[in-house]
Amino acid sequence: MSPAPPPDTAPVIFVDDEEDLRRAAEQTFSLAELPLLPCATAQEALAHVTPAFPGVIVTDIRMPGMDGTELMEAVLSRDPDMPVILVTGHGDVDLAVSSMQRGAYDFVEKPYNPARLVETVRRALEKRHLTMELRALTAGASEGGDDPIANRLIGRSAVMARLRADLRAVAATHADVLIEGATGTGKEVAARALHAASARAARPFVAINCAALPDAMIESELFGHAPGAFPGATRERYGKFEHARGGTLFLDQIDSLPLPVQGKLLTALQDRAITPLGSNEPVALDLRVVAASKRALAEAVAEGSFRDDLLYRLNVFTLRLPPLSARREDIPGLYQILLAKASAQHGRPVPRVTTDDLARLAARDWPGNVRELRNEAERAILGLDRSDLPQPTGRLSDRMAEHERGLIAAALAANSGVIKATYEALGISRKALYEKMQKHGLDRQAFRSD
Ligand SMILES: Nc1ncnc2c1ncn2[C@@H]1O[C@H](COP(=O)(O)OP(=O)(O)OP(=O)(O)O)[C@@H](O)[C@H]1O
Ligand SMILES: [Mg+2]
């Protein structure tokens, strides 16, 4: 999987049968430092178009042979997300509008202002770049088909790739595992992925948070008890170890385990057997223990709150999950995937995200790591104010524009991006809707339900 090139290096296919216009475009685009592929015919242009083509297309409509709208249809049948910008003759508004409905990204009227064409092309390149990046990520997320590790632990960074490889290697063994990492870095995700990728996948995954139980209860929660083991223990009760039989037991926040219980856990791990409270009958264990801790257990050992022999028993395999700030290159893609997930979950459209937005997100600190990024994506989907954006105290005109954009986006979403239904619902003309969508950077493709 190779990363999508940044928007400014992807080529622009420019199709016009008139040589003078191709020459002029070459000058315009070379001044703008955008690589151009001039083509005299639609066929010539099509030769470059595959779903892997990272650039965009600008085409004249009226040409001998295959015309611009036919070219557009051929392009969109190869890749429905490819931005095609049509150059229309003066006064061809109807043609422009119907082309937009059939999937054109935008149109410019002849004679066009070069600066305006370049601006439209840059926007289209940005959109193309985001599409390609999202595709690369989703492809990465399903590398190896339904590999549960690749699907759940997303990230293109070298640290994440190494982590996935380590998890796969450990999944194939019987070893117990320690996972260390700050809050929200994905410790539980990693533990569940490890279970799902192991031979124990069909057996239970049982999680227990050692910090959430009172000290007095934790021992019987883990190991169970015999009837009469303590006052109130009228019946036999299975512990988490027995519930997890054959599967994986996830001991979260293991550093909170009281010292006496640590001793009993060590014995259980060494003997691969447990003895329920008030019983003399050891029960054989067939399970994998995965322990997790937010802080380095070595620190807890140094403090005297964690047994060193238990640490050595657990840290044969230690997986360390990096904070999000140590893998910032993963933030844009992860954010887009989390947006797509939240959008599916809440049945809401994905809002427009620019490369600037993504760069700003990637630069932030993220003390809550992936969980905090997921919350940010949820807020964006639900249309709640983002903490890093200025509060809406701007000029009335800006706030009204923002409000208008929201109403139009909602109508587009309600009508699955169908233009006619949307302008009718809003009680405005077709032309007015196109103008407003363009002004607010709304793309009907984002609202389509198919
Ligand atoms: N690499 C990843 N790819 C996709 N989603 C992730 C990744 N890492 C974490 N997440 C998501 O982030 C959230 C937090 O993950 P998780 O609960 O595993 O964190 P944790 O390390 O157990 O945190 P805590 O220590 O606070 O319990 C979850 O919604 C999870 O789905
Ligand atoms: Mg957790």
Side-chain angles (χ1 to χ4, degrees):
M1 177 172 63
S2 60
D8 280 356
T9 60
V12 179
I13 295 177
F14 183 90
V15 199
D16 202 304
D17 55 312
E18 282 182 55
E19 194 182 349
D20 289 351
L21 286 175
R22 293 198 301 276
R23 284 253 175 74
E26 276 183 304
Q27 274 189 0
T28 302
F29 282 83
S30 105
L31 282 173
E33 294 181 4
L34 292 170
L36 196 74
L37 284 171
C39 300
T41 65
Q43 271 81 9
E44 201 184 310
L46 266 182
H48 298 286
V49 177
T50 67
F53 179 70
V56 303
I57 297 158
V58 178
T59 178
D60 189 23
I61 292 192
R62 292 190 200 283
M63 295 185 293
M66 184 188 254
D67 74 16
T69 54
E70 286 164 339
L71 171 60
M72 176 181 89
E73 311 236 303
V75 166
L76 294 181
S77 73
R78 290 184 190 185
D79 182 346
D81 294 321
M82 182 86 69
V84 179
I85 297 162
L86 295 169
V87 181
T88 65
H90 183 61
D92 262 350
V93 181
D94 284 348
L95 185 56
V97 165
S98 71
S99 309
M100 290 294 282
Q101 278 183 305
R102 279 185 289 157
Y105 174 77
D106 207 343
F107 61 89
V108 289
E109 257 183 285
K110 261 189 201 170
Y112 53 76
N113 167 347
R116 159 129 164 66
L117 177 63
V118 166
E119 189 199 308
T120 307
V121 163
R122 281 199 202 281
R123 256 195 302 118
L125 282 169
E126 186 168 301
K127 175 180 185 245
R128 184 68 181 158
H129 175 65
L130 292 178
T131 303
M132 297 306 270
E133 192 159 50
L134 192 56
R135 278 186 195 165
L137 271 150
T138 358
S142 54
E143 89 204 4
D146 47 22
D147 173 346
I149 291 174
N151 286 335
R152 299 179 202 204
L153 281 165
I154 296 157
R156 290 200 274 169
S157 58
V159 262
M160 286 307 287
R162 206 171 320 119
L163 192 83
R164 285 191 294 267
D166 289 348
L167 267 173
R168 269 189 210 104
V170 186
T173 72
H174 291 291
D176 296 325
V177 178
L178 173 63
I179 304 179
E180 290 181 351
T183 186
T185 49
K187 296 183 294 298
E188 183 157 353
V189 176
R192 287 182 187 275
L194 175 68
H195 172 73
S198 76
R200 302 181 180 278
R203 308 289 304 162
F205 176 92
V206 175
I208 178 170
N209 184 347
C210 304
L213 287 169
D215 286 8
M217 280 179 59
I218 201 147
E219 193 170 344
S220 101
E221 271 299 309
L222 283 174
F223 305 108
H225 61 75
F230 50 85
T234 48
R235 284 179 296 159
E236 177 179 19
R237 189 169 187 278
Y238 280 156
K240 297 290 186 193
F241 269 97
E242 276 172 275
H243 284 295
R245 204 181 267 272
T248 303
L249 178 63
F250 179 55
L251 301 176
D252 204 0
Q253 310 223 48
I254 188 136
D255 52 320
S256 317
L257 210 59
L259 278 164
V261 187
Q262 289 178 26
K264 202 161 172 186
L265 175 62
L266 178 66
T267 312
L269 295 179
Q270 276 165 349
D271 302 349
R272 305 316 288 184
I274 52 152
T275 311
L277 273 175
S279 158
N280 295 316
E281 291 289 308
V283 182
L285 282 183
D286 169 30
L287 52 75
R288 186 205 305 268
V289 169
V290 179
S293 172
K294 288 195 231 269
R295 59 172 180 158
L297 278 188
E299 232 175 70
V301 168
E303 258 172 28
S305 63
F306 203 83
R307 292 179 64 127
D308 56 355
D309 45 7
L310 180 55
L311 170 61
Y312 301 137
R313 183 67 193 63
L314 287 171
N315 75 358
V316 180
F317 269 116
T318 303
L319 298 170
R320 291 201 174 77
L321 288 175
L324 201 49
S325 56
R327 50 183 190 106
R328 292 187 190 278
E329 66 271 43
D330 287 344
I331 294 177
L334 201 44
Y335 181 71
Q336 290 183 81
I337 287 183
L338 295 169
L339 269 185
K341 281 190 181 167
S343 129
Q345 190 186 337
H346 298 287
R348 298 251 195 151
V350 175
R352 188 165 68 115
V353 186
T354 64
T355 42
D356 277 355
D357 292 336
L358 294 175
R360 225 177 305 117
L361 289 170
R364 271 169 58 178
D365 269 350
W366 304 108
N369 297 297
V370 188
R371 181 180 296 112
E372 189 183 357
L373 187 66
R374 189 197 64 188
N375 292 343
E376 188 76 25
E378 294 245 307
R379 277 198 291 273
I381 289 293
L382 297 174
L384 302 175
D385 279 332
R386 298 232 310 259
S387 49
D388 64 327
L389 293 179
Q391 294 302 304
T393 51
R395 293 185 327 173
L396 180 62
S397 56
D398 291 343
R399 292 170 63 185
M400 285 179 65
E402 197 50 42
H403 191 56
E404 182 180 74
R405 182 178 193 278
L407 292 174
I408 294 173
L412 278 164
N415 294 291
S416 310
V418 176
I419 294 300
K420 186 167 194 292
T422 303
Y423 68 71
E424 283 174 1
L426 291 168
I428 58 178
S429 71
R430 178 191 296 264
K431 186 161 172 284
L433 177 60
Y434 275 116
E435 282 170 6
K436 288 183 191 298
M437 284 171 65
Q438 177 142 10
K439 169 173 146 204
H440 296 300
L442 290 167
D443 179 0
R444 88 184 180 94
Q445 302 293 341
F447 300 94
R448 273 165 50 163
S449 53
D450 51 340

